[in-house]
Amino acid sequence: MARVSGRDHDGDGSRATPARRVAVDGVSKTYAGDDGPVHALADVSFDVTDGEFVCIVGPSGCGKTTLFRIIAGLEEATDGEVSLSGDPVDGPSRDLGIVFQEYHLFPWRTVRGNVGFGLEQTDMDESERADRVDELIDLVGLDGFTNSYPPQLSGGMKQRVALARALAVDPELLLMDEPFGAVDAQTRAMLHEELLEVWEATRKTVLFVTHDVEEAVTLADRVVVMAADPGRVREVVDVGLDRPRERTDPGFAEYVERIRGLIGE
């Protein structure tokens, strides 16, 4: 099931020019520290095209989470701008679906209640909401758990609920911050497969933050490699491998070593 997202062909067989969905332009972030200003990010710039899956990796302290929060509209940049479909991001929006490492599910709501929460704030009628929730629960493979509560679910299942909830309002961009960091390796591998299936089905633009280089190479069309002190883009690596990707493939190992080398510089 190989596909290069966001790079569809025109009717004449030529490649269409992908639309720029996300633009990070010259983003810098400075905090006031006890010993003077702390420069968390410096002149970070990159684009994400429509339907593309992009991962952000880098060493500890490179500002990945700060950058994520700025893109999500949860924090303001000191300089520069983030835009979504040409409009500046100036706060949280329904155009941004967010999945964190912590599930942030409502323990008193069922799977159905959690997935449908965002839809309750829209003008969608009750029947449409029910159909949308059923569609998403099926999409993430949670049929049979509709009426279960979060304490009854495994970590992987909770994260699938969080993913379905983020997709419910049909956002333009899906932002994921270390979403599989709290699950075991076997569950993570399964979630990788399921996430790619969801991505193929929805054609969403995805920006995924991770510290795991192998995870990034497994998932991404491109990998934004960041450096620290201050946080900045060292290089953007195009991953030219068909999907599904096998970690035993020599080409996979070459990308992993290349990105690890960039992080270690």
Side-chain angles (χ1 to χ4, degrees), residues 12 15 40 51 61 66 92 100 106 113 125 131 136 146 154 179 241 243:
D12 61 1
R15 287 196 180 276
T66 299
F100 296 101
F106 300 118
D125 66 40
D131 289 344
L136 288 162
T146 302
S154 68
L241 298 173
R243 296 181 176 91

Side-chain angles (χ1 to χ4, degrees), residues 130-234:
D131 289 344
R132 177 66 173 162
V133 170
D134 286 340
E135 174 190 351
L136 288 162
I137 288 174
D138 177 65
L139 182 67
V140 299
L142 286 174
D143 284 336
F145 296 92
T146 302
N147 296 316
S148 298
Y149 289 88
Q152 299 171 305
L153 305 176
S154 68
M157 293 168 74
K158 290 176 184 176
Q159 200 57 285
R160 281 187 272 169
V161 176
L163 174 60
R165 182 178 60 185
L167 291 170
V169 295
D170 197 24
E172 293 185 34
L173 174 66
L174 183 62
L175 286 165
M176 309 186 77
D177 186 17
E178 303 274 6
F180 307 143
V183 299
D184 61 81
Q186 184 175 357
T187 301
R188 187 180 304 129
M190 177 184 68
L191 289 170
H192 289 163
E193 293 181 12
E194 292 174 353
L195 174 59
L196 287 172
E197 288 175 0
V198 169
W199 173 65
E200 290 280 354
T202 63
R203 306 284 173 154
K204 289 296 177 189
T205 306
V206 180
L207 193 55
F208 186 109
V209 176
T210 179
H211 69 278
D212 186 333
V213 173
E214 290 191 352
E215 181 171 64
V217 176
T218 297
L219 297 173
D221 291 318
R222 292 187 297 141
V223 179
V224 177
V225 184
M226 295 188 66
D229 300 323
R232 61 197 186 279
V233 175
R234 183 178 295 282

